[in-house]
Amino acid sequence: MRLALVHARYQLLQTLRIPVAVFGSAFFPAVAMLFFVVPFAGDDPTGATYATAAMVTFAVMSANIFQYGVGVAEDRDQPWNPYTRTLPAGAAPAFAGRVLAGLALTFLSLLPVVVIAALFTDARISPWAFGLAVAVVGLISVPFTLMGLAIGYALPSKAAIVVAQIVFFPLAFGGGLLSAPDAAPAFVRAIAPYLPTRGAVELMWAAVGDWRPAPVSVLMLGVWVVALAALAGWAYRRDEGRRFR
């Protein structure tokens, strides 16, 4: 655990030395809050609360897909990365440190969304619901962390950036993150239950309000976790095999 914390500290310092890396993860959700949530749902306590939960999910997805997808791919290009895998401690501490650092940066990217909601909307949440929402953030980070790892280990850095950008907005829009819970277009309502973003946002809505998640959305979220874990594991093993042939 000590080595994992050392690696996490290294990852955090490396990221925080380039503040724009943190700013980028929080930018789109914060802008969406200011331009869409505040003027159109800010005066409705229920609507503002659900919209804030959706933007939190948006930020979680953004932070993890780009942190792991692009970050892992860039690290693989560095000669130091394969060397760390040959050390007696192995690759596990570095991997655990990356996950811990990524979780910390995910929560950091949520701060602008929460601050905007508190200052400029009528969103309301009890202390119990807030604590539950924090726990749910950790839970819904899992599929997007795995997605980022799959991209990062499977692709070179230039391709990883493109793929992360390609999957990012379709998942957000298709999962209904950019519309009210019951106001998405018909084609979005048709495909949303089968995307990981929908299951994730419905868990967030359930944490902050009286929303009941659709069983199919939660089931498909679990399916996505299993599939992405298998894909990330395959990509990692393939990368490991290529480097040590």
Side-chain angles (χ1 to χ4, degrees):
M1 186 62 183
R2 185 177 64 84
L3 287 176
L5 292 175
V6 170
H7 279 283
R9 179 174 177 271
Y10 165 74
Q11 292 284 344
L12 286 171
L13 289 175
Q14 189 179 40
T15 302
L16 293 175
R17 284 176 182 150
I18 309 174
V20 71
V22 180
F23 175 79
S25 298
F27 177 75
F28 287 113
V31 168
M33 282 289 294
L34 288 172
F35 284 93
F36 297 104
V37 177
V38 173
F40 297 110
D43 295 333
D44 176 8
T46 301
T49 301
Y50 282 148
T52 301
M55 290 303 102
V56 165
T57 307
F58 193 107
V60 169
M61 179 181 65
S62 170
N64 285 287
I65 288 179
F66 283 98
Q67 280 183 61
Y68 294 106
V70 179
V72 168
E74 289 179 343
D75 283 353
R76 287 171 52 233
D77 290 338
Q78 305 300 319
W80 174 255
N81 182 256
Y83 171 70
T84 60
R85 299 185 189 184
T86 67
L87 297 176
F95 180 80
R98 178 179 289 281
V99 172
L100 291 173
L103 194 58
L105 291 171
T106 295
F107 280 104
L108 186 61
S109 72
L110 302 181
L111 289 180
V113 172
V114 175
V115 170
I116 291 170
L119 295 179
F120 302 113
T121 76
D122 289 336
R124 296 292 180 268
I125 186 171
S126 68
W128 161 254
F130 183 84
L132 183 59
V134 170
V136 171
V137 165
L139 178 64
I140 66 173
S141 294
V142 174
F144 304 116
T145 296
L146 293 170
M147 186 178 295
L149 290 171
I151 293 170
Y153 281 118
L155 300 170
S157 57
K158 291 182 180 179
I161 294 172
V162 174
V163 171
Q165 292 172 336
I166 289 174
V167 302
F168 174 61
F169 275 110
L171 284 176
F173 185 75
L177 302 187
L178 304 180
S179 56
D182 295 317
F187 77 94
V188 171
R189 292 198 301 271
I191 65 172
Y194 305 101
L195 298 178
T197 38
R198 186 65 183 191
V201 75
E202 289 202 6
L203 291 178
M204 284 300 304
W205 286 337
V208 302
D210 297 326
W211 185 267
R212 291 188 177 183
V216 65
S217 297
V218 177
L219 176 62
M220 287 306 301
L221 180 63
V223 171
W224 274 96
V225 168
V226 173
L228 289 169
L231 181 60
W234 168 81
Y236 177 81
R237 289 192 298 272
R238 188 187 69 160
D239 181 63
E240 191 87 355
R242 284 180 174 179
R243 290 179 182 275
F244 294 102
R245 279 176 184 172

